[in-house]
Amino acid sequence: MSQESQVTQLPKETITFNLNDRDITVPKGTTVMEAAHRNDVYIPHFCWHPGLSIAGVCRFCLVKVDNRPKLEIACNLQATPGMKVSTLLPEVKEAHKWALEFHLVNHPLDCPICDQAGECKLQDFYMEVGKYKSEMDRPKVLKPKALNVGSELVLDTERCILCDRCVRFEQEVTKTGALGIFNRGDRAIVGTYPDKKIEHNYQDNLVDICPVGAFTSRDFRFKQRVWFLKDKPAVCPGCSTGCHVNVYAKPEVRTYFRVKPRESAVNSHWMCDTGRKTYKHLNQDQRLRFPVATDTTGKRKRVSTAEAVASLVAQLRSVAVQDVALLVSPQYTCEEYAAFFDFFVKKLGVTKVFQWREPTEKLEEFDGLLYRGDHNPNTFGLSEALAKVGLPKDVKNGFDDLARSGAKLVVALAPEIGFQFPSLESQFQRLSELPFVSVWTTSAAAYNVQAFKHLLPLKGFAEKRGSFLNYQGKVGELAHPFPAAVDDAHDVVEVVTAVADVWAHAL
Amino acid sequence: MSEAKPKIILRTEGLPDQRSIKTYVDKAEGYTAVRKVLGGLSREQVIEEVKQSGLRGRGGAGFLTGLKWSFVPKDMPGPKYLICNNDESEPGTFKDRYICAVNPHQVIEGMIIAAYAIGANKGYIYTRWEFQEEIGYLETAIKEAYEAGFLGKNLLGSGFDFELDHYSGAGAYICGEETGLISSLEGKKGQPKVKPPFPAVSGYLGRPTIVNNTETLANVPWIINHGPKAFRQWGTEKSPGTKVFSISGALNKPGVYEVPLGYPFESLLNDEGGGMQAGRSLKALIPGGASAPVLTPTECEGLTMDYEAMAQRGTMLGSGAVIIIDDRQSIAELLKVTIDFFAHESCGQCTPCREGTGWLNNIMDGILDRSAKPDNIERLRTVSRNMGGKTICALSDACAMPVMAFVQKFSDELHAYLAAGSGSHRQ
């Protein structure tokens, strides 16, 4: 993030240089690597990372500058007016081949059992510039493997190519400095200082920036080959920062595997480990799989969505509108709130609307990097939606007010990210004591509360379209949904539309 | 032509109490150059004198000293630093160590003048950790210089301050590389930094810093006292002055000798060095420390000891470490210890050096225990060729260059060694 602010502070003055016979204009002071990165010219590299300082150690990004005797590294080469740079000359290609050969001298080549396989820079470059016959025929240097360096991480120093990215991340981003490179020459190994462990909430970023399989994620290790995964862009629902992410899943088996950050102005290149766990509740085994309603004897049973909607409409008709209350968690999209309030508040005239928030939350908390104390992705959007229908927009947990309101029928949009709501179970219990509650939720937890007589399964954040407004009111878009892991799941817009439809026809 | 073997550096050598400030002041024009400089020369004048002298860095690279000084930005406010690189670690080199033992005050005087020229008020002498005795000599000399008023505040009433400290790393070859030295001095792991920025602009603690070799700095007082023209009466057009050589090997008188640059190798070997030991003959010459490519006896014919003659023969004068290889030495074993040194001392940052030096060492292990395939001998050259010119500092090249020369010039011997089965006395 510091890098981005540096970029914006650069003087407006620009220069034009030539890269692979193409004229490129960049702000003065830009390196050839940055210029290439911004203009979609790929220069192979390991140690350079747009979010970190320049190390200049992998010696992979060598380019040829006209009229200069030696090849130079693009990452530390300032573009100057008229400079002519090539990445395509045979001598550059040959240098890349050898750069890779050197990287592989002591690399164990254990791709068949390595989690990084499929998204490994060594593999990518091997296909692109590799020497197809290695000249190395001597025994390799052996180094420590499977090291426990942090709660989320496993480190294999033999796979490590000593690019120093992780060390710089620890120094520059989290400023925890737990990692260093010890010893010298080909005995050099990356590791934690004797009295330190990697303990922060950003550990998995080390897995992301590690260009090889040295750091692997404890959560994802050995779970799935990455080439079987599909990824779609989304926004993290874990807190009000709203990091831009990619969600990885295997839709054919309705299983989600991981969440990784996607570069954006909101989160630069990073995200926290808490946010990375927001895929778990999407999996089928965590989900409410079907709508539930009661039969005439009052017994709970599985019903179709249409039956569930009809039963809710019937209940709504049986009570006065002032006895209806809405309980809304700030974890739904702006579009869902709009549809929900449009029907219940504007059309039906419900006035008792309460926010469903975690009572122990500390809104003002912030870790200084990304993770905020408001563990909801759309507090801002909910406030706006409330204001739009003329209701108080204050951020306030309304759970106790609801209990005192004497409502006879409650429609509740339950929190989606259960692990961010330590009080969820007790809140479910209290809620179930009310006369009639229709719980709209993704989670199987509500089903386990026997007293709930009416349940509607919802889609998770990765399965719907819509938008969150983060703590600054910046829009985060959910535009590329996965098919829902549960057949009967719908988003709130779909459910409300169905309810409104039945309501209108029944009139 | 004046005297054939002038002394610019080792002026107090052999005098009673040779390294004391008294001897230096009484017998070797000690601290007169500082008086001259602080008495009225401008910074620009001092730099100009040194530029005119053509003095080249004596640490190995031979870069023009005056030019280096002129890279320091003049108008930048805030501290600047001068560092004396006394981390002499090139295998075969022991001349700075000797200079510290013989004439440490001349180094200190040179530092005061250099600091004045670049506008530095703080200097460090960075000495190789293993030189414990010399560290003592230097610390004594610094103390003496402080007591005599040549170090400290407002030197000789000129208003110029110069504080000098001594520092020592943990003993690493790479800390002789100027940015590696700076990292070490900053308390970090001793490894070179990416350039640009260069130390003259952003060095120690991110401030403009000049790093000069011990012998280089010791030349400065003489140049100030006698002028560039007098300095240029010795040496060659492009290599003016004298050079302190450290000569080792199967000689009758190995040791440290100061001779003019351009001095014939044969004289250095036979006059200063006292000739080969009885029954030994010259098999090869490493003219400038372990990183200098080896020369065969034929290539040594007519060789003179200066930067140009060495470059002409594809090698370098380096730090002036003349290593005589005699006929009893095994090239394979020599090559192994050379590579082993660089593989051990590579800081491990840059991939081609880290993996390349290790790979070469690995191959040499295979040659010594005869487990390597014969094509590995040629591979030493291929690997070396691809290690060169691609790293932050010159250590990779320093390993690659001698390896390529050894393999090119002694390929037959290496193949014979590998084919001979067991028999190495190392085993």
Side-chain angles (χ1 to χ4, degrees):
Chain A
M1 262 168 286
S2 59
Q3 285 243 326
E4 274 181 34
S5 58
Q6 273 169 21
V7 170
T8 52
Q9 278 162 20
L10 278 179
K12 289 269 167 8
E13 202 181 329
T14 60
I15 63 108
T16 301
F17 77 109
N18 188 286
L19 179 57
N20 294 341
D21 292 325
R22 185 177 145 198
D23 281 335
I24 289 180
T25 302
V26 288
K28 198 179 166 192
T30 307
T31 62
V32 170
M33 178 66 94
E34 278 178 281
H37 182 66
R38 284 186 219 158
N39 288 277
D40 294 324
V41 177
Y42 190 69
I43 301 176
H45 61 270
F46 285 116
C47 70
W48 182 78
H49 187 283
L52 301 171
S53 66
I54 295 164
V57 295
C58 74
R59 316 307 288 183
F60 211 117
C61 63
L62 292 164
V63 295
K64 173 74 183 168
V65 183
D66 244 20
N67 300 320
R68 293 205 198 165
K70 286 193 204 168
L71 299 180
E72 295 184 42
I73 49 169
C75 67
N76 196 40
L77 176 66
Q78 262 194 24
T80 52
M83 182 188 255
K84 216 168 142 16
V85 181
S86 173
T87 67
L88 306 170
L89 292 171
E91 62 177 307
V92 179
K93 294 272 177 211
E94 186 64 14
H96 289 169
K97 268 190 184 175
W98 270 93
L100 187 67
E101 179 80 352
F102 282 125
H103 274 92
L104 293 174
V105 167
N106 286 311
H107 186 79
L109 293 172
D110 58 345
C111 314
I113 54 155
C114 177
D115 273 290
Q116 189 80 0
E119 51 188 5
C120 173
K121 289 284 177 201
L122 282 172
Q123 288 182 326
D124 293 351
F125 294 150
Y126 192 78
M127 301 314 288
E128 215 174 297
V129 301
K131 273 167 66 69
Y132 281 81
K133 194 171 176 306
S134 169
E135 302 206 13
M136 168 70 182
D137 63 356
R138 302 285 308 159
K140 296 187 183 231
V141 177
L142 306 179
K143 292 178 183 176
K145 295 169 87 76
L147 301 176
N148 174 10
V149 289
S151 56
E152 306 293 325
L153 301 168
V154 178
L155 173 62
D156 183 323
T157 60
E158 225 166 48
R159 289 179 187 156
C160 171
I161 56 164
L162 296 156
C163 71
D164 193 55
R165 278 184 178 184
C166 54
V167 176
R168 281 173 284 150
F169 179 86
E170 280 280 313
Q171 280 166 359
E172 296 163 15
V173 182
T174 55
K175 300 186 168 64
T176 40
L179 285 168
I181 292 175
F182 304 96
N183 212 327
R184 304 186 300 177
D186 64 1
R187 291 92 52 216
I189 54 167
V190 70
T192 45
Y193 286 94
D195 53 342
K196 282 191 171 174
K197 266 209 164 185
I198 303 169
E199 282 167 331
H200 51 69
N201 194 22
Y202 292 85
Q203 298 182 24
D204 271 318
N205 293 292
L206 296 169
V207 179
D208 295 344
I209 61 173
C210 181
V212 300
F215 278 103
T216 47
S217 156
R218 240 176 239 284
D219 187 44
F220 182 66
R221 251 161 89 81
F222 308 134
K223 293 268 167 65
Q224 194 54 245
R225 279 309 193 183
V226 297
W227 52 85
F228 293 127
L229 298 180
K230 288 200 171 47
D231 63 291
K232 289 175 187 276
V235 175
C236 175
C239 83
S240 61
T241 297
C243 292
H244 292 209
V245 299
N246 284 316
V247 178
Y248 291 75
K250 216 171 155 182
E252 62 273 28
V253 292
R254 302 186 175 205
T255 310
Y256 294 83
F257 285 91
R258 63 181 184 184
V259 178
K260 274 175 176 282
R262 176 162 53 93
E263 189 181 346
S264 81
V266 172
N267 53 307
S268 184
H269 309 269
W270 325 118
M271 73 179 292
C272 69
D273 296 339
T274 308
R276 289 179 197 258
K277 298 193 174 78
T278 57
Y279 74 89
K280 298 194 177 202
H281 72 281
L282 296 171
N283 284 332
Q284 228 181 13
D285 57 351
Q286 304 292 315
R287 301 284 287 267
L288 174 63
R289 299 213 196 170
F290 43 79
V292 170
T294 45
D295 60 17
T296 45
T297 65
K299 201 172 160 240
R300 287 206 323 177
K301 62 169 188 181
R302 174 179 180 161
V303 296
S304 70
T305 305
E307 288 167 332
V309 168
S311 126
L312 176 61
V313 170
Q315 287 291 336
L316 280 168
R317 291 207 173 287
S318 68
V319 295
V321 70
Q322 59 269 26
D323 292 332
V324 178
L326 307 176
L327 183 61
V328 188
S329 115
Q331 299 200 338
Y332 291 84
T333 64
C334 297
E335 292 72 10
E336 288 173 311
Y337 294 138
F340 194 67
F341 294 146
D342 212 44
F343 175 71
F344 284 106
V345 179
K346 278 167 79 178
K347 183 146 192 171
L348 258 53
V350 175
T351 55
K352 290 179 178 153
V353 181
F354 304 98
Q355 292 188 35
W356 190 347
R357 306 190 67 94
E358 165 58 39
T360 61
E361 75 182 349
K362 293 194 176 68
L363 289 172
E364 68 291 349
E365 271 185 2
F366 177 48
D367 69 356
L369 210 47
L370 292 169
Y371 190 46
R372 289 175 192 276
D374 180 358
H375 298 164
N376 302 289
N378 206 13
T379 296
F380 200 105
L382 176 55
S383 291
E384 283 218 328
L386 287 168
K388 217 173 244 174
V389 292
L391 291 166
K393 57 186 276 187
D394 320 342
V395 178
K396 180 169 177 253
N397 180 24
F399 208 83
D400 294 334
D401 297 338
L402 168 69
R404 284 194 293 270
S405 72
K408 295 191 175 116
L409 188 157
V410 180
V411 181
L413 298 186
E416 179 180 331
I417 316 299
F419 73 83
Q420 296 282 56
F421 267 74
S423 314
L424 190 60
E425 224 173 293
S426 65
Q427 286 182 330
F428 269 159
Q429 281 308 328
R430 287 179 63 191
L431 198 58
S432 68
E433 288 156 15
L434 295 174
F436 180 89
V437 186
S438 172
V439 183
W440 301 14
T441 180
T442 56
S443 164
Y447 182 79
N448 298 333
V449 181
Q450 290 299 323
F452 282 142
K453 302 295 185 210
H454 193 267
L455 301 168
L456 272 161
L458 291 179
K459 286 178 178 171
F461 76 99
E463 300 167 341
K464 60 193 179 190
R465 287 174 208 277
S467 52
F468 293 140
L469 298 180
N470 80 350
Y471 72 105
Q472 292 174 310
K474 275 192 190 157
V475 179
E477 257 197 293
L478 301 171
H480 302 275
F482 277 106
V486 170
D487 283 337
D488 280 335
H490 300 281
D491 62 33
V492 174
V493 179
E494 291 162 345
V495 180
V496 168
T497 309
V499 172
D501 221 34
V502 175
W503 178 271
H505 282 90
L507 269 175
Chain B
M1 189 88 182
S2 52
E3 53 174 323
K5 289 168 196 174
K7 278 194 180 170
I8 288 179
I9 309 294
L10 304 174
R11 297 165 86 183
T12 55
E13 188 181 23
L15 297 175
D17 232 354
Q18 55 180 1
R19 53 182 166 265
S20 74
I21 192 163
K22 186 165 187 310
T23 307
Y24 182 56
V25 168
D26 293 350
K27 303 282 165 57
E29 305 175 307
Y31 291 103
T32 52
V34 160
R35 286 185 196 283
K36 188 173 169 185
V37 166
L38 297 182
L41 288 186
S42 70
R43 287 172 181 180
E44 291 74 17
Q45 281 172 315
V46 175
I47 294 181
E48 195 51 33
E49 289 282 285
V50 175
K51 266 190 182 168
Q52 291 297 326
S53 76
L55 173 64
R56 298 174 68 161
R58 303 290 196 239
F63 194 79
L64 291 162
T65 306
L67 187 61
K68 195 179 202 179
W69 291 0
S70 68
F71 292 155
V72 174
K74 278 197 188 67
D75 307 322
M76 194 189 271
K80 298 179 181 118
Y81 297 96
L82 174 73
I83 299 169
C84 169
N85 185 346
N86 197 33
D87 191 56
E88 178 176 59
S89 332
E90 180 80 16
T93 314
F94 42 92
K95 49 109 183 164
D96 292 334
R97 171 182 206 174
Y98 190 66
I99 293 168
C100 294
V102 170
N103 196 5
H105 278 288
Q106 195 164 323
V107 179
I108 293 171
E109 188 178 5
M111 287 191 78
I112 301 166
I113 298 165
Y116 175 78
I118 63 166
N121 300 114
K122 175 82 203 182
Y124 292 96
I125 301 177
Y126 185 103
T127 302
R128 177 178 175 178
W129 184 85
E130 288 88 338
F131 291 173
Q132 286 300 318
E133 277 177 41
E134 288 71 17
I135 290 171
Y137 302 155
L138 285 167
E139 282 174 349
T140 307
I142 291 172
K143 196 163 155 262
E144 286 175 337
Y146 264 107
E147 283 163 3
F150 295 117
L151 291 174
K153 298 254 178 284
N154 189 20
L155 298 186
L156 309 173
S158 66
F160 175 65
D161 305 336
F162 185 58
E163 306 284 349
L164 183 60
D165 262 336
H166 181 269
Y167 187 83
S168 177
Y173 175 67
I174 197 59
C175 292
E177 198 276 348
E178 60 178 6
T179 54
L181 186 158
I182 289 170
S183 297
S184 169
L185 194 60
E186 287 171 339
K188 299 173 187 156
K189 186 175 176 184
Q191 46 190 29
K193 304 180 181 196
V194 275
K195 287 154 268 188
F198 290 92
V201 178
S202 174
Y204 178 59
L205 305 178
R207 302 296 311 167
T209 303
I210 289 293
V211 183
N212 284 139
N213 167 260
T214 309
E215 183 187 348
T216 313
L217 288 163
N219 270 290
V220 174
W222 198 96
I223 292 169
I224 295 296
N225 272 328
H226 301 269
K229 224 177 130 203
F231 187 72
R232 281 179 173 279
Q233 69 183 301
W234 298 298
T236 67
E237 171 64 26
K238 287 188 173 152
S239 306
T242 64
K243 176 87 189 79
V244 182
F245 289 98
S246 40
I247 314 171
S248 59
L251 295 154
N252 288 312
K253 289 196 296 165
V256 181
Y257 300 100
E258 181 176 3
V259 297
L261 281 155
Y263 195 69
F265 166 66
E266 211 166 307
S267 308
L268 189 66
L269 175 67
N270 294 319
D271 300 348
E272 273 74 16
M276 298 295 293
Q277 286 173 10
R280 307 280 182 103
S281 63
L282 182 70
K283 179 176 180 178
L285 166 70
I286 298 173
S291 55
V294 66
L295 296 176
T296 60
T298 322
E299 289 172 307
C300 293
E301 283 169 21
L303 179 69
T304 53
M305 304 304 290
D306 53 79
Y307 296 97
E308 311 89 274
M310 293 297 171
Q312 228 173 33
R313 284 168 170 78
T315 184
M316 54 187 200
L317 192 67
S319 53
V322 179
I323 304 170
I324 306 292
I325 317 291
D326 68 85
D327 55 329
R328 296 192 196 176
Q329 303 287 324
S330 152
I331 294 294
E333 285 161 16
L334 187 65
L335 188 52
K336 164 65 189 171
V337 294
T338 304
I339 294 174
D340 192 64
F341 172 78
F342 289 109
H344 182 257
E345 295 294 340
S346 165
C347 82
Q349 269 188 111
C350 301
T351 313
C353 176
R354 176 182 71 239
E355 303 298 340
T357 53
W359 189 358
L360 294 175
N361 202 23
N362 195 336
I363 292 175
M364 283 317 298
D365 285 339
I367 290 173
L368 289 198
D369 70 13
R370 273 95 176 179
S371 67
K373 294 177 192 146
D375 68 350
N376 269 247
I377 291 173
E378 189 49 34
R379 186 154 301 136
L380 290 168
R381 285 177 76 186
T382 332
V383 172
S384 298
R385 204 163 36 240
N386 287 288
M387 286 164 63
K390 291 192 178 139
T391 46
I392 291 176
C393 80
L395 191 143
S396 195
D397 296 80
C399 179
M401 288 186 303
V403 174
M404 287 193 283
F406 270 118
V407 177
Q408 186 203 332
K409 295 172 187 176
F410 296 93
S411 171
D412 292 347
E413 188 180 330
L414 290 169
H415 278 286
Y417 187 97
L418 183 58
S422 61
S424 164
H425 62 71
R426 288 169 63 89
Q427 297 304 312

